[in-house]
Amino acid sequence: MEAAAGGQREGGKWQKPRISRKSLVKCCLVKWIISSTAPQGPDSSDSDLELATVRHQPEGLEELQAQTKFTRKELQSLYRGFKNECPSGLVDEETFKIIYSQFFPQGDATTYAHFLFNAFDMDRNGSIRFEDFVIGLSVLLRGSVNEKLRWAFNLYDINKDGYITKEEMLAIMKSIYDMMGRYTSPCVKEDAPLEHVEKFFQKMDRNKDGVVTFDEFIETCQRDENIMSSMQLFENVI
Amino acid sequence: MAAGVAAWLPFARAAAIGWMPVAKCPMPIAPRDDKRQDELIILNVSGRRFQTWRTTLDRYPDTLLGSSEKEFFYNEETKEYFFDRDPDAFRSVLNFYRTGKLHYPRYECISAYDEELAFFGIIPEIIGDCCYEEYKDRKRENAERLMDDLEENKDCKLPDMSFRETMWRAFENPHTSTMALVFYYVTGFFIAVSVITNVVETVPCGATPTQKDMPCGERYMVAFFCMDTACVMVFTVEYLMRLFAAPSRYRFMRSVMSIIDVVAILPYYIGLVMTDNEDVSGAFVTLRVFRVFRIFKFSRHSQGLRILGYTLKSCASELGFLLFSLTMAIIIFATVMFYAEKGSSSSKFTSIPASFWYTIVTMTTLGYGDMVPKTIAGKIFGSICSLSGVLVIALPVPVIVSNFSRIYHQNQRADKRRAQKKSRMTRIRIAKKGSSNAYLQSKHNGLMNELLDLTGSEGDQLHLNKTCSLLESQHHHLLHCLEKTTAHEFVDEQIYEQNCLESALQSYPSRTPSISSQEGLTGTCCSRRTRKSLPLPNSSMPALHTLSHTQGLQELSTIHMHCPDPQTRVVSRSSLNMQANEVGRIHAKERQTTAAVISFQTNPSVTAEGDGHRSSNVRPSIQTTASSNIVKVSAL
């Protein structure tokens, strides 16, 4: 379809504008009408569809056995539970928050779940696969004390730069206190997380430079009886 | 906690390692996991074999399959559990264990399904949201059917109904007795007679030679008056009888039907009272109009009329909208017509309100012809008006009519959903509370068990042991770790309120200085003061009940059965508000003290010692460390 409506040929006689389909489509009024009646563009429902169709299959049992310290049976049981809750094989952050919040009915566990999610999602792609899940668990349940401490350090270090600053610690602490909820005894005061962070920094920050490095962290924890014994607490969870 | 996430509990527990380096208090010991191997269980339901993991069934320990009750059905030879039930219904039961959601299959009969659920110990309230509405609908229909059946049987007169109740039943359900039926028809007849008289008395009767044509009412005044009187008397008697029989007279007087009754008979009495005063006779005439309301009394006799009234009421918003849009159109066209016809002489369109009449008559396609436009512009607009009238009125009317039925049903469903939403939220809240209550309760149980171990009484131990699944104990251990990390405790809402109240009171000087001086003693993470004048906290009694104050005193006396004679008890008046541990301490000799908040219903004897012994005051539900301190003291 050639002639555009209202188009004037260069240097030619003025041609009567012909209304063709192409020209009509170009008319802004028509465009507006069509766009307002057309179905809306990609919105959240579409993206939900996208996520649902993505599926992930984990590596084979042998590879996972090699990478983690779990036995075959343990891996099987873990996968069954994982797949039951997340049939697509991937956990995104929202689902993770929902699952984790179910364990803490009295408080709000979403912020802490967010930090936890980042700690597990090692390749930072927004979803946890079964491999991430099982490798993380292997460290937590079967790793050496140093490995566990490293994991905890990684959790506290929100931006993963190797240093824990006061702000990061405060965020973590607040999220832990959030999980307690409102009805506690004694009542959680406004500055309770801050106080807790101060105590922590006093203990951990050896050279008083305002940040806690991994070595300071390890050193202090190794000296503390309580911490070392509590690390062994969950050995027999699986 | 839903079964689906039970699989993630190990993960949540492992992640708790993240709290360890920042924990304030040392962590509690983890519950031991004895059963290491997971095994397959075979469930044979009427020949169809279902297999599942044992841990799947163990998720719900208070159902048949999750508890030891299933051992009754164990078949030794075939090594399977045999149930002689419907295998189709069993599918949903088993899926409940697997997914944590109970679904209601639509093809299933509601009573059969309920029976299956009852057999397997599952409460229907946990049906998932996807199927809950359907389930409730079917259940309600079934209940209505049962009620109908019941009522039919109940229609024979109960011997001990009072005369008043009999009368009320007779009024409400005319088919219950012959007298009621007779009454029903008589009143109906009189309503009809009254309405017909009202109508006929305005008809002009034949003219007599002496007088001009006059309505029958004036001609046969006496006859009509007598009929009117008779009808009104019947109505009055009926109203008074209903008023007498009504179970709630105030509510009856406020009901629509009774207002209609009153409005129907009042004009007559007012007319009797008023004399032939010329001034008020105008008002009196208007009153007679109200006599037409007697026709509404028929709605008691006609179910359909009542439904119509209700439908109109529920579609009021739609009708209102129709009226509104009509009004808009009328005003627009009336204005236009007025200004169009303004020029022409002897125009009937004298003002805009005067044009309203023209617009309405034209838009409803009546076209009386008493007002017609004369100018050309007026005719053009007039024709546009009548064309649009067809569109505005004729078209929506069928739509509105179909809307009636659709909206009627929709309203009902929306109301149902709203009502169910409230109950759904309540269910969710209760489930959440239940889980946190379960934790608080198990904490207390754990505590009591420890105390009882130390004081050596066995009798109460059994009665406190609840079946707590391994999963639950692990979950509780997780929550306990969180408490230790932050050095705060989970408590019930009521106790929290009290604590806040107390901390507000703390700013005032205490009455008994001896108490306040003892505070720093326990030195554990969380310590609390005595309550002085506030009512007894009932925090430690979840074993008996959900935490509630008012019942505290009563129930405690049942646990208190071990307490021996009052004389040996060292109790002071101010220790009336003391916490349980202190009582435990004071009664050191009595090995059978229960660590409950005890109400002092026996005579308190004041001793000086009481004050000395009192230390500060931790509630038993608080921490194991605190209580262990206290218990040690009691061994002294």
Side-chain angles (χ1 to χ4, degrees), chain B residues 231-484:
Chain B
C231 294
V232 168
M233 261 173 36
V234 170
F235 295 155
T236 319
V237 164
E238 183 208 347
Y239 180 70
L240 289 175
M241 274 168 49
R242 274 184 206 266
L243 190 61
F244 167 68
S248 158
R249 298 218 171 100
Y250 177 62
R251 214 157 54 97
F252 173 73
M253 288 213 293
R254 278 190 322 174
S255 71
V256 175
M257 288 312 303
S258 85
I259 292 179
I260 290 178
D261 287 340
V262 167
V263 167
I265 60 182
L266 222 45
Y268 176 80
Y269 289 111
I270 296 181
L272 275 187
V273 165
M274 283 198 306
T275 56
D276 275 323
N277 198 341
E278 279 304 316
D279 297 332
V280 293
S281 69
F284 175 61
V285 166
T286 355
L287 269 183
R288 295 176 81 110
V289 168
F290 283 99
R291 290 189 305 173
V292 80
F293 272 81
R294 289 176 196 173
I295 208 171
F296 283 115
K297 286 166 71 75
F298 266 130
S299 59
R300 271 216 188 91
H301 298 253
S302 157
Q303 178 79 340
L305 212 61
R306 272 206 294 261
I307 290 179
L308 181 66
Y310 176 70
T311 314
L312 284 177
K313 202 163 54 132
S314 68
C315 291
S317 63
E318 276 67 39
L319 287 174
F321 174 70
L322 174 65
L323 214 62
F324 176 68
S325 59
L326 270 180
T327 318
M328 267 190 356
I330 287 172
I331 293 178
I332 291 174
F333 279 108
T335 316
V336 166
M337 288 308 296
F338 171 69
Y339 282 112
E341 285 289 304
K342 208 162 160 137
S344 81
S345 57
S346 76
S347 152
K348 289 235 173 72
F349 296 81
T350 49
S351 66
I352 293 186
S355 330
F356 280 168
W357 175 243
Y358 169 76
T359 321
I360 292 175
V361 167
T362 316
M363 278 184 84
T364 53
T365 69
L366 278 176
Y368 288 137
D370 53 347
M371 275 166 91
V372 283
K374 293 200 175 52
T375 59
I376 307 249
K379 287 188 178 154
I380 291 176
F381 286 117
S383 40
I384 296 178
C385 176
S386 69
L387 285 174
S388 71
V390 172
L391 284 172
V392 170
I393 295 193
L395 217 51
V397 167
V399 175
I400 294 265
V401 165
S402 73
N403 263 3
F404 271 8
S405 58
R406 189 176 56 85
I407 288 165
Y408 179 69
H409 290 297
Q410 216 177 47
N411 264 356
Q412 286 201 319
R413 264 180 281 146
D415 283 336
K416 248 191 316 178
R417 263 196 300 263
R418 248 174 283 139
Q420 282 172 6
K421 179 173 179 182
K422 243 177 42 172
S423 73
R424 195 158 47 94
M425 291 294 139
T426 319
R427 277 187 301 150
I428 291 174
R429 225 179 336 115
I430 287 177
K432 266 194 157 183
K433 245 183 89 167
S435 135
S436 52
N437 268 350
Y439 175 57
L440 296 169
Q441 182 171 349
S442 80
K443 253 206 306 199
H444 169 69
N445 280 352
L447 236 108
M448 300 243 313
N449 274 337
E450 283 183 33
L451 282 166
L452 289 169
D453 281 337
L454 288 159
T455 57
S457 94
E458 275 102 42
D460 297 317
Q461 236 173 359
L462 299 168
H463 127 121
L464 289 175
N465 261 344
K466 242 173 62 101
T467 48
C468 198
S469 73
L470 181 64
L471 216 59
E472 268 188 43
S473 59
Q474 286 179 347
H475 186 212
H476 294 161
H477 175 250
L478 182 66
L479 293 173
H480 204 175
C481 287
L482 182 60
E483 287 183 339
K484 288 280 183 252

Side-chain angles (χ1 to χ4, degrees), chain A residues 73-74 80-82 84-86 91 96 99-100 102-106 112 116 120 133 137 140-141 148-149 151-152 155-156 169 173 176-177 179-189 192 195-196 199-200 203-204 217 221 226-227 230-231 233-234 236-238, chain B residues 1-2 4-5 7-24 26-33 36-38 53 59 98 432 435-436 440 475 477-479 481-483 485-493 496-497 499-500 526 528 622:
Chain A
K73 265 200 174 320
E74 288 168 345
R80 283 202 296 270
F82 184 85
N84 213 16
E85 198 58 26
C86 314
V91 193
F96 186 81
I99 294 174
Y100 199 70
Q102 302 229 9
F103 294 108
F104 302 97
Q106 282 202 340
Y112 187 72
L116 214 51
F120 268 86
F133 179 71
L137 270 188
L140 285 173
L141 298 176
K148 293 182 190 174
L149 286 172
W151 187 89
L155 173 70
Y156 300 147
M169 204 60 224
M173 203 57 77
I176 293 181
Y177 275 85
M179 282 200 283
M180 292 294 294
R182 242 170 59 97
Y183 302 123
T184 56
S185 130
C187 309
V188 173
K189 303 193 199 53
E195 212 181 288
H196 201 151
K199 247 180 56 176
F200 174 78
K203 229 174 30 161
M204 299 271 172
F217 184 73
C221 287
N226 280 340
I227 296 182
S230 60
M231 284 291 169
L233 201 58
F234 294 108
N236 60 346
V237 160
I238 299 281
Chain B
M1 191 173 56
V5 295
W8 285 67
L9 185 61
F11 163 77
R13 299 182 68 213
I17 287 190
W19 307 333
M20 305 294 150
V22 294
K24 272 190 180 168
M27 294 288 146
I29 309 175
R32 272 171 330 137
D33 185 354
R36 304 310 304 259
Q37 291 294 61
D38 203 1
W53 297 106
R59 284 179 192 157
R98 290 184 183 131
K432 266 194 157 183
S435 135
S436 52
L440 296 169
H475 186 212
H477 175 250
L478 182 66
L479 293 173
C481 287
L482 182 60
E483 287 183 339
T485 310
T486 56
H488 287 73
E489 293 228 324
F490 288 115
V491 291
D492 190 44
E493 191 171 333
Y496 173 72
E497 309 282 331
N499 292 352
C500 289
C526 314
R528 298 220 40 88
I622 297 193

